[in-house]
Amino acid sequence: MTSVPETTAVPGTGRTPSGIRDVPAGHAPPDGSGGGEPAALTTLQLLRLLGSGPRGLTEEQAGDLLVRHGENTVPAWRPVSWPRRFLGSLRDPFTTVLLCLGLVSAAVASWGTACVIMVLVVVSCVLRSGGEHHASRSMAALRELVATTASVQRRADDAAPPQTREIPVDQLVVGDVVRLGPGDLVPADLRLLRASGLTVHQAALTGESAPVAKYAVDAPSDESAGLPEPPHMCFQGSSVASGSGTALVVATGADTRFAAYRPPRRRAQSAFDRSVHGIAWTLIRFMLIMPPLVLMADGALRGRGLETLPFAVAVAVGLTPEMLPVIVTAALARGAAALARTSGVIVKRLPALHDLGAIDVLCLDKTGTLTQDRPVVERAVDARGRPDPDVLGWAAVNSFWTLELAELPVPDSLDEAVLEAAGELAADPLEYDGIAALPFDPVRRVATAVVRRPGQHGTHTLVVKGAVEDVLDRCASFRADGAEPELDTATREHLLALADRGAASGLRLLAVAVAERPARSGAYTAADLRGLTFLGLIELRDALAPSAAAALDVLARRGVEVKVLTGDHPGTAARACHDLGLDPGEVLTADRLGALSGEALAAAVGRATVVARCTAQDKARIVTALRESGRSTGFLGDGVNDLPALQAADVSICPRGGVDVAREAADVVLAEKDLTAIDGAITAGRGSSANIAAYLRITLSSNLGNVIAMLAAGLLLPFLPMLPAQVLVQNLCFDAAQLAFAFDRPGPAAMRRPTVLRPRAFLRFITAFGVLNATADMATFAVLAFAVHTTAGSGDPQIFHAGWFTENLLTQAMVMLLLRAGRRAAEGRAPGPVQLAVVALAAVGVLLPLSPLGPLLGMYAPPPLYYLLLAVVLALYGVALAAASARYLRRSQGS
């Protein structure tokens, strides 16, 4: 079902001076003007080019730049208007078919049929466009949930000192100097001027779960400037994890890297689109064949001419599931409304709800989904690899006093994990007196706290914590079994190998060392970090999401494979999967898949659970390969780097906390990044899809049987088997009853496996059950002929019309009741909407020919004998239908 694009991008205006991007990265301009990539220029070149300085812009300069280049906003997204959504709904293939049939009906003066068809078209379009418009309004509310201010350094005039104040983010301009602190969102693309212990979460851009160290560089090297994320650059869409910094704004609005990730206006067909189009074209072929066959057969055998054209059109309409657009839209809209009401899940594109139910492979990142994006301490070990709580205690002393004495606003995630674990062991860093601290430095990769032990006033203890290799480089001995032997080369290699094994198994490691120094009043520097004693290692792992293990188990039972596509280390991803009970199997890396494509790539990924070291392009390539191999794919992502994969999937899912452009590109927005919410959405999708599939199976098989019987009767009888008005009334009654499928409650069997509308499977089903239905109709012909001949001695067409009208509606009621799978456990004793509709349909079928309306429609009551014989035919038909249905269910569940 074709969908109107959710939004249309408004082209942004250039905000970055053109000279900045005129020179290759890593090279200064030949004229020395400073033009080139911001990452490649020296700090002085960049400040001169932007007309700024370390003290920032003046208010007048900032105002001029704002007027000239516009506000710092990501290119605006215009919501699609309701009328445009309504017109876009007409592109649905079934709606198009109905429109064509309505026009043909009007051309042959079948005004009743034409009016009914047009009403169905309008109702379907209103329901669909209304549901999607409501989702769009909900998304507009989510767009307001973003940071609105930035801390900027500006001057009143050239002579005034700089002042730091908060201004709206959209008022930032290129050349502004901004301050960054823990928890701040990076408001634009920035070049660092100064930084202290600055680490940045840039998972939204790169997929890396761990914070990345950032530091200022006055003259970048060619190597660092050419990196995708240079260490001296911060990009919009990332956030500060720890430390602080002062930075220069080098790009805003449409020129930021964040804005460059813009979803395309159109996306490839989803699983629902492909299924509906396949079924639609199958029906269109039937409808194009049937009317000419009726006209030619009646003309050749009965000598009838164009007077049978209304009947031929009625046959084509009878084959069409007229209520499909209404029932599809109502079922999906009902499921989407229930999700929004109970789970806070927004389905932006109604057919995406079916795609959720059809998912058989779900691709996702590890961070925030399987894990909580925070580490926890696994254990602390000494130099021999044996558990040692003293190592954790010293690490906690380092974390606590570094935080206190370096005046860091908040601890980073590693320090939080260390302090939490030490608290569980009742270790108290306050037993020591803090003297000084050297916070974590991205270059040295260690943090140092200087403390005084209780009762040792003449001695200071240096407690060092950091990267294993960097700590070992500063150690001269190690502590083991109460002794402190020299740290020789063999021991050093052993400790590095121990750390490598831990990293390979998915752990993150911190080394801890201490040293005693004579107390002094002077400042401590990095030069004092020599001759340390190595204590041991702190092993940390990613904290698991509380509900992830249970949700993965449920997804597996529902037939959904999970593929973890992550930018993390292979061991880290494998460890998280293993801890959650998900067998990681062979862990692949994206570089190993680089030479594969198409079926070969899909087969390789199909055998694996984890693909690590993935870039944005790798994720999209993998999702595309899986989709093209016939898998129904879902992708859960929340970052800018996830956009290509979100666009490649059959259904794209983003949590509410994802970046704006990811939410805009997604089909489904979750209240939280939680697999449990996805399971609820999949369940709702399967419920809606099961109702749609039941409607299609029942309607198409019943309609096909009736059409076959009509064609046969038209050739065997000297009169039309049913008048066009009777066909229309019969279709209206059947269609009205089938509205109940939009409100039905599927049985448990419908939730156990993906629900996919497969055209070939539907064709086999409707052919088999259509022939069975036609057989019952032909038996009814014989019963009618016998009953009328025996009792009235006349072959009155009006009695025949009434008898067949009753039989048609009764057989259709039986089909509705018996071809629904897995109902008993779902409904219990209370009658559901379908049972009530079946009773009403049967009552209309029996009573309408007997009522005063019967003669108006050209029907007279059949003799009583007919009803007795019809009961026998219906009983035999019911037995055959139940047996065929049970056999079909066994075969479909076994396949």
Side-chain angles (χ1 to χ4, degrees):
M1 192 174 284
T2 307
S3 180
V4 178
E6 173 63 26
T7 50
T8 304
V10 178
T13 58
R15 294 169 172 81
T16 303
S18 59
I20 283 186
R21 305 194 184 275
D22 293 340
V23 177
H27 297 77
D31 59 0
S33 65
E37 286 286 347
L41 304 179
T42 67
T43 303
L44 183 59
Q45 286 174 330
L46 192 56
L47 287 171
R48 284 178 176 174
L49 179 64
L50 299 180
S52 184
R55 298 189 302 162
L57 299 172
T58 65
E59 293 291 350
E60 182 181 359
Q61 288 174 318
D64 291 342
L65 289 171
L66 187 64
V67 172
R68 190 185 315 161
H69 299 300
E71 294 183 343
N72 174 36
T73 55
V74 175
W77 296 87
R78 292 193 300 262
V80 179
S81 64
W82 188 88
R84 188 178 171 204
R85 290 185 188 277
F86 182 88
L87 294 176
S89 300
L90 296 176
R91 294 203 302 262
D92 170 64
F94 280 115
T95 304
T96 304
V97 169
L98 285 180
L99 279 175
C100 294
L101 287 175
L103 294 175
V104 172
S105 299
V108 298
S110 295
W111 301 111
T113 303
C115 291
V116 170
I117 288 175
M118 297 309 296
V119 168
L120 294 177
V121 168
V122 171
V123 169
S124 171
C125 292
V126 167
L127 286 175
R128 181 174 174 184
S129 56
E132 293 186 353
H133 185 68
H134 177 74
S136 178
R137 292 177 60 185
S138 299
M139 284 300 302
L142 291 182
R143 294 185 194 109
E144 303 300 325
L145 303 177
V146 294
T148 57
T149 63
S151 181
V152 67
Q153 183 176 291
R154 284 183 182 171
R155 297 169 290 151
D157 52 51
D158 287 332
Q163 294 184 344
T164 301
R165 61 189 181 88
E166 295 289 320
I167 67 169
V169 167
D170 58 15
Q171 301 299 301
L172 281 180
V173 296
V174 171
D176 265 328
V177 174
V178 299
R179 300 283 185 88
L180 297 175
D184 287 348
L185 294 178
V186 176
D189 285 358
L190 309 175
R191 166 73 178 268
L192 288 173
L193 302 177
R194 292 183 297 277
S196 175
L198 183 66
T199 60
V200 172
H201 281 296
Q202 51 186 30
L205 298 171
T206 65
E208 296 174 284
S209 60
V212 178
K214 298 287 184 177
Y215 48 87
V217 176
D218 181 54
S221 64
D222 288 359
E223 181 180 355
S224 65
L227 294 173
E229 286 79 30
H232 52 287
M233 299 289 295
C234 295
F235 297 100
Q236 187 179 26
S238 54
S239 61
V240 178
S242 64
S244 60
T246 303
L248 179 69
V249 176
V250 298
T252 61
D255 292 323
T256 62
R257 177 180 295 190
F258 184 85
Y261 288 94
R262 191 174 301 146
R265 297 190 178 190
R266 293 189 181 274
R267 56 182 296 161
Q269 285 186 341
S270 68
F272 186 68
D273 296 330
R274 296 192 299 270
S275 300
V276 168
H277 286 184
I279 296 171
W281 280 109
T282 300
L283 291 178
I284 288 171
R285 293 186 187 100
F286 271 108
M287 287 185 290
L288 291 176
I289 292 172
M290 289 300 178
L293 283 179
V294 173
L295 292 174
M296 289 188 294
D298 279 356
L301 299 180
R302 294 295 177 184
R304 304 185 187 117
L306 291 178
E307 66 270 16
T308 61
L309 183 57
F311 176 71
V313 172
V315 169
V317 173
L319 184 61
T320 307
E322 299 97 331
M323 293 299 294
L324 180 61
V326 175
I327 288 178
V328 167
T329 306
L332 295 178
R334 180 170 173 265
L339 277 176
R341 183 175 61 254
T342 60
S343 307
V345 176
I346 299 173
V347 180
K348 294 168 54 183
R349 184 177 61 87
L350 286 184
L353 192 60
H354 165 270
D355 294 335
L356 279 169
I359 286 176
D360 58 22
V361 57
L362 176 64
C363 301
L364 47 82
D365 197 354
K366 171 186 68 68
T367 307
T369 306
L370 305 182
T371 62
Q372 296 185 54
D373 198 17
R374 67 178 181 86
V376 293
V377 173
E378 178 78 2
R379 61 174 187 162
V381 298
D382 62 14
R384 304 293 190 194
R386 296 171 297 196
D388 186 349
D390 285 343
V391 176
L392 180 60
W394 282 113
V397 170
N398 173 280
S399 296
F400 180 83
W401 286 112
T402 301
L403 174 66
E404 289 293 316
L405 299 176
E407 298 183 353
L408 298 178
V410 293
D412 68 14
S413 57
L414 296 178
D415 285 333
E416 285 182 326
V418 168
L419 291 172
E420 181 180 350
E424 294 176 358
L425 296 178
D428 185 8
L430 289 173
E431 293 178 359
Y432 303 86
D433 296 325
I435 304 299
L438 299 175
F440 179 83
D441 182 270
V443 178
R444 294 193 304 269
R445 300 201 303 168
V446 297
T448 305
V450 182
V451 299
R452 182 172 55 236
R453 299 191 189 192
Q456 296 187 7
H457 296 285
T459 304
H460 288 170
T461 302
L462 277 66
V463 187
V464 180
K465 171 172 62 55
V468 177
E469 187 172 356
D470 293 85
V471 171
L472 284 174
D473 286 343
R474 293 168 169 79
C475 291
S477 61
F478 68 97
R479 185 174 297 174
D481 302 323
E484 295 185 0
E486 180 183 355
L487 181 65
D488 55 20
T489 302
T491 304
R492 186 177 186 278
E493 294 299 326
H494 168 73
L495 291 172
L496 288 174
L498 184 66
D500 288 340
R501 287 196 297 272
S505 66
L507 297 173
R508 297 164 64 183
L509 294 105
L510 294 173
V512 183
V514 297
E516 303 290 341
R517 298 284 189 268
R520 72 187 194 200
S521 58
Y524 284 88
T525 67
D528 296 309
L529 306 183
R530 293 289 182 269
L532 308 178
T533 299
F534 181 84
L535 297 183
L537 299 171
I538 305 293
E539 299 177 348
L540 303 102
R541 59 173 174 82
D542 288 334
L544 304 178
S547 61
L552 287 172
D553 182 60
V554 172
L555 288 173
R557 293 202 305 269
R558 296 201 190 285
V560 179
E561 289 186 48
V562 172
K563 304 293 181 185
V564 181
L565 311 182
T566 178
D568 276 350
H569 186 281
T572 304
R575 177 64 178 252
C577 292
H578 184 270
D579 291 345
L580 290 168
L582 181 65
D583 183 10
E586 179 188 7
V587 179
L588 300 177
T589 54
D591 56 352
R592 290 177 56 188
L593 302 175
L596 301 180
S597 62
E599 290 289 343
L601 177 58
V605 176
R607 295 190 295 268
T609 300
V610 176
V611 183
R613 303 297 192 196
C614 283
T615 65
Q617 290 70 31
D618 292 326
K619 293 179 181 181
R621 200 164 59 89
I622 290 169
V623 171
T624 300
L626 290 170
R627 189 175 179 215
E628 290 177 349
S629 69
R631 307 293 297 273
S632 293
T633 59
F635 185 84
L636 170 64
D638 60 354
V640 175
N641 65 311
D642 293 323
L643 278 173
L646 287 169
Q647 288 297 320
D650 283 305
V651 57
S652 50
I653 310 167
C654 179
R656 174 176 172 172
V659 298
D660 282 353
V661 287
R663 290 203 307 260
E664 296 287 355
D667 300 316
V668 178
V669 178
L670 305 177
E672 301 291 341
K673 193 174 183 181
D674 186 354
L675 286 180
T676 303
I678 294 180
D679 175 61
I682 288 175
T683 300
R686 291 187 181 179
S688 298
S689 298
N691 288 341
I692 295 169
Y695 165 77
L696 278 172
R697 284 196 301 266
I698 291 168
T699 301
L700 294 179
S701 60
S702 180
N703 288 359
L704 180 62
N706 288 340
V707 166
I708 293 173
M710 279 192 209
L711 293 176
L715 299 178
L716 297 174
L717 298 175
F719 49 83
L720 290 177
M722 291 189 78
L723 299 178
Q726 296 165 356
V727 175
L728 176 62
V729 171
Q730 174 185 281
N731 288 342
L732 284 176
C733 294
F734 191 32
D735 291 340
Q738 289 179 110
L739 275 174
F741 283 114
F743 306 93
D744 199 13
R745 183 172 53 180
M751 306 300 170
R752 296 191 190 117
R753 54 194 303 171
T755 305
V756 183
L757 307 177
R758 303 188 186 278
R760 290 186 179 179
F762 270 100
L763 185 58
R764 290 195 298 268
F765 184 96
I766 66 175
T767 300
F769 285 89
V771 170
L772 184 60
N773 187 294
T775 303
D777 287 343
M778 298 302 292
T780 304
F781 294 164
V783 165
L784 269 172
F786 176 77
V788 171
H789 179 75
T790 302
T791 57
S794 169
D796 191 344
Q798 293 174 321
I799 296 178
F800 183 93
H801 292 160
W804 198 21
F805 180 90
T806 297
E807 185 268 349
N808 272 338
L809 291 189
L810 290 178
T811 54
Q812 287 171 339
M814 292 180 65
V815 168
M816 287 181 63
L817 192 63
L818 296 178
L819 291 191
R820 296 160 62 233
R823 310 310 313 165
R824 296 176 184 172
E827 291 175 349
R829 296 180 180 179
V834 173
Q835 282 113 326
L836 296 176
V838 164
V839 172
L841 184 63
V844 171
V846 173
L847 299 177
L848 183 60
L850 306 178
S851 72
L853 293 176
L856 296 177
L857 293 172
M859 295 185 291
Y860 289 122
L865 179 62
Y866 165 71
Y867 291 101
L868 294 176
L869 296 176
L870 179 61
V872 176
V873 172
L874 291 178
L876 294 175
Y877 176 59
V879 171
L881 192 63
S885 176
R887 183 171 180 270
Y888 169 79
L889 283 176
R890 287 195 300 270
R891 292 184 59 182
S892 62
Q893 292 174 2
S895 60

